[in-house]
Amino acid sequence: RELTEMQEENWFFRLSAFEDRLLEYYERHPGFVTPETKRNEAVSFVKSGLRDISITRTSIDWGIEVPWDPGHVFYVWYDALINYLTAIGYGREDDEVAEWWPSSHHLIGKEIIRFHCVWWPAMCMAAGLEPVSHVQIHGWLLVGGQKLSKTMAAEGGVRLTDISPVMLTDEFGVDPLRYYLVRETALGNDGEFSHEGITARYNTDLANNLGNLVARVTTIVAAKCDATTLVPRDDSELVAPAREAVDQARVAWARFAPSQALEATWSFIGATNAFLERQAPWKMEPGESLDAVMADALEAIRLVCILISPVMPRVAEEIWRRLRLAGSPSAAPEEEYLVWGRYRALEAVEKGEPLFPRIRSGE
């Protein structure tokens, strides 16, 4: 395409005036941008020297009109950022700014760091507002090392339409697909998607570990116990791993590290399966000893339901229903429900169909 030189009149935002203030803000708020590698990228950009930015256009007529100069429209990234505040009523008498700002989080892609981590906090400072409390950067979803794109197919790349989310959810389910995407890659890094990868996660983590745990416990309880009388033991050997999993998951979610939260949860699932292997309740006769083991196992599953509910809400609800528990795992008050010993069944548990039928590679 032939290069065309153009001139137009623009309004500018004096970004250069905020260089020192931005660096000072980053120094005082080390957790403003995460992960740290992306924070360093933003800081380096500021340190390289900021130039004033053009925030209006006169060569186009679509866009938000500049109130004080009708011949201008705002540059799209300038008015887009302001939406974070106007959405909560900024500029209106009945605004909700005090309720939502600045204690909010932005979740953004790594390619728009400059706008959100340099322009936007400077714009807030210029308006006399505290910048948003936290910006979490996420990476790209890659296939074969390439970013999914609508246009890359022309160059032999992978198109977004080559991998159908509908087909994946039909094959694996919505919750398992979400689990794979969240568990496989630390938030902030690029993630590599493959059909082999999701199949392995599904069969290992979900079918073998979680699904097998729920199936073996509900089968034994339904056949040999009265679930409504079972009460977890305060001195169970599962108390310590349960507390560790809850503590680690809580910290990880607060740090925007969902893959670590799930890792802690699956470690607890593994500990519970190992507990059952040692106790071998399938060999035990009905009675107090069996009831004690199964009460502990049911309590472990109850806690697992709550821990997985942010990523697999439908699965958590289904397990909760089979255990015949009151309320909902996703609506459970954290401090009250994430404590060992709260399992109480309203009626007999339900075995149900397998939660995660195994998938053979290539099917």
Side-chain angles (χ1 to χ4, degrees), residues 141-153:
L141 184 61
L142 308 176
V143 176
Q146 293 182 314
K147 179 186 176 185
L148 289 177
S149 169
K150 297 177 181 178
T151 59
M152 285 177 61

Side-chain angles (χ1 to χ4, degrees), residues 301-310 316 320 328-330 332 337-338:
I301 295 174
R302 184 190 71 84
L303 290 171
V304 167
C305 282
I306 300 173
L307 293 175
I308 68 172
S309 62
W320 196 268
S328 166
S330 58
Y337 275 47
L338 280 176

Side-chain angles (χ1 to χ4, degrees), residues 183 241-242 244-250 252 258-270 307:
R183 175 72 191 275
E244 182 179 8
V246 168
D247 290 346
Q248 290 180 354
R250 183 184 284 119
S259 61
Q260 294 179 16
L262 292 175
E263 183 179 351
T265 302
W266 254 257
S267 178
F268 179 47
I269 291 172
L307 293 175

Side-chain angles (χ1 to χ4, degrees), residues 216-227 284 286 290 348-349 351:
R216 73 202 314 192
V217 170
T218 54
T219 297
I220 295 171
V221 171
K224 299 182 178 182
C225 306
D226 178 0
M284 301 170 68
L290 176 64
V349 301
K351 176 184 175 182

Side-chain angles (χ1 to χ4, degrees), residues 58-135:
T58 54
S59 57
I60 56 176
D61 56 10
W62 55 268
I64 305 298
E65 187 177 85
V66 177
W68 63 86
D69 198 340
H72 291 246
V73 294
F74 282 114
Y75 171 51
V76 63
W77 265 113
Y78 189 77
D79 77 71
L81 293 167
I82 296 173
N83 282 329
Y84 288 119
L85 280 168
T86 56
I88 53 177
Y90 181 74
R92 300 198 315 257
E93 291 185 3
D94 60 341
D95 69 71
E96 300 175 86
V97 174
E99 179 180 356
W100 293 100
W101 200 268
S103 300
S104 299
H105 303 272
H106 291 342
L107 178 63
I108 67 164
K110 66 178 185 178
E111 71 274 20
I112 51 177
I113 290 177
R114 182 191 312 175
F115 303 116
H116 285 82
C117 304
V118 180
W119 290 22
W120 182 221
M123 290 164 61
C124 289
M125 292 174 181
L129 295 170
E130 186 80 4
V132 67
S133 62
H134 175 232
V135 181

Side-chain angles (χ1 to χ4, degrees), residues 207-220:
N208 291 356
N209 294 337
L210 176 57
N212 187 47
L213 172 62
V214 173
R216 73 202 314 192
V217 170
T218 54
T219 297
I220 295 171

Side-chain angles (χ1 to χ4, degrees), residues 10-301:
N10 301 124
W11 284 92
F12 280 75
F13 176 73
R14 191 167 292 172
L15 185 63
S16 59
F18 292 88
E19 187 172 318
D20 291 339
R21 289 181 63 182
L22 285 170
L23 292 175
E24 180 186 355
Y25 188 83
Y26 269 101
E27 183 69 25
R28 288 189 290 108
H29 300 85
F32 172 49
V33 176
T34 54
E36 187 175 2
T37 54
K38 303 305 180 185
R39 175 190 181 276
N40 294 340
E41 183 178 329
V43 170
S44 295
F45 181 82
V46 177
K47 287 183 176 180
S48 68
L50 298 179
R51 299 174 60 184
D52 297 341
I53 54 175
S54 168
I55 62 171
T56 70
R57 301 289 186 269
T58 54
S59 57
I60 56 176
D61 56 10
W62 55 268
I64 305 298
E65 187 177 85
V66 177
W68 63 86
D69 198 340
H72 291 246
V73 294
F74 282 114
Y75 171 51
V76 63
W77 265 113
Y78 189 77
D79 77 71
L81 293 167
I82 296 173
N83 282 329
Y84 288 119
L85 280 168
T86 56
I88 53 177
Y90 181 74
R92 300 198 315 257
E93 291 185 3
D94 60 341
D95 69 71
E96 300 175 86
V97 174
E99 179 180 356
W100 293 100
W101 200 268
S103 300
S104 299
H105 303 272
H106 291 342
L107 178 63
I108 67 164
K110 66 178 185 178
E111 71 274 20
I112 51 177
I113 290 177
R114 182 191 312 175
F115 303 116
H116 285 82
C117 304
V118 180
W119 290 22
W120 182 221
M123 290 164 61
C124 289
M125 292 174 181
L129 295 170
E130 186 80 4
V132 67
S133 62
H134 175 232
V135 181
Q136 171 67 44
I137 314 299
H138 67 76
W140 292 338
L141 184 61
L142 308 176
V143 176
Q146 293 182 314
K147 179 186 176 185
L148 289 177
S149 169
K150 297 177 181 178
T151 59
M152 285 177 61
E155 304 171 3
V158 182
R159 296 177 303 177
L160 182 61
T161 51
D162 290 336
I163 300 176
S164 168
V166 174
M167 292 178 62
L168 290 172
T169 55
D170 286 345
E171 182 177 3
F172 296 97
V174 174
D175 280 13
L177 175 59
R178 187 188 299 111
Y179 170 78
Y180 166 73
L181 294 173
V182 173
R183 175 72 191 275
E184 192 73 6
T185 305
L187 185 60
N189 297 338
D190 290 342
E192 180 72 30
F193 175 88
S194 71
H195 194 274
E196 294 78 11
I198 187 174
T199 300
R201 278 286 182 193
Y202 179 96
N203 286 333
T204 301
D205 292 7
L206 301 182
N208 291 356
N209 294 337
L210 176 57
N212 187 47
L213 172 62
V214 173
R216 73 202 314 192
V217 170
T218 54
T219 297
I220 295 171
V221 171
K224 299 182 178 182
C225 306
D226 178 0
T228 61
T229 66
L230 300 182
V231 178
R233 294 172 291 185
D234 293 336
D235 60 350
S236 169
E237 63 182 87
L238 289 177
V239 171
R243 183 179 298 115
E244 182 179 8
V246 168
D247 290 346
Q248 290 180 354
R250 183 184 284 119
V251 170
W253 282 113
R255 291 178 49 247
F256 283 75
S259 61
Q260 294 179 16
L262 292 175
E263 183 179 351
T265 302
W266 254 257
S267 178
F268 179 47
I269 291 172
T272 305
N273 275 320
F275 165 76
L276 291 175
E277 289 293 333
R278 290 192 298 273
Q279 300 296 326
W282 43 87
K283 297 180 180 179
M284 301 170 68
E285 295 298 323
E288 291 184 3
S289 296
L290 176 64
D291 286 352
V293 171
M294 301 320 295
D296 292 350
L298 286 165
E299 172 65 354
I301 295 174

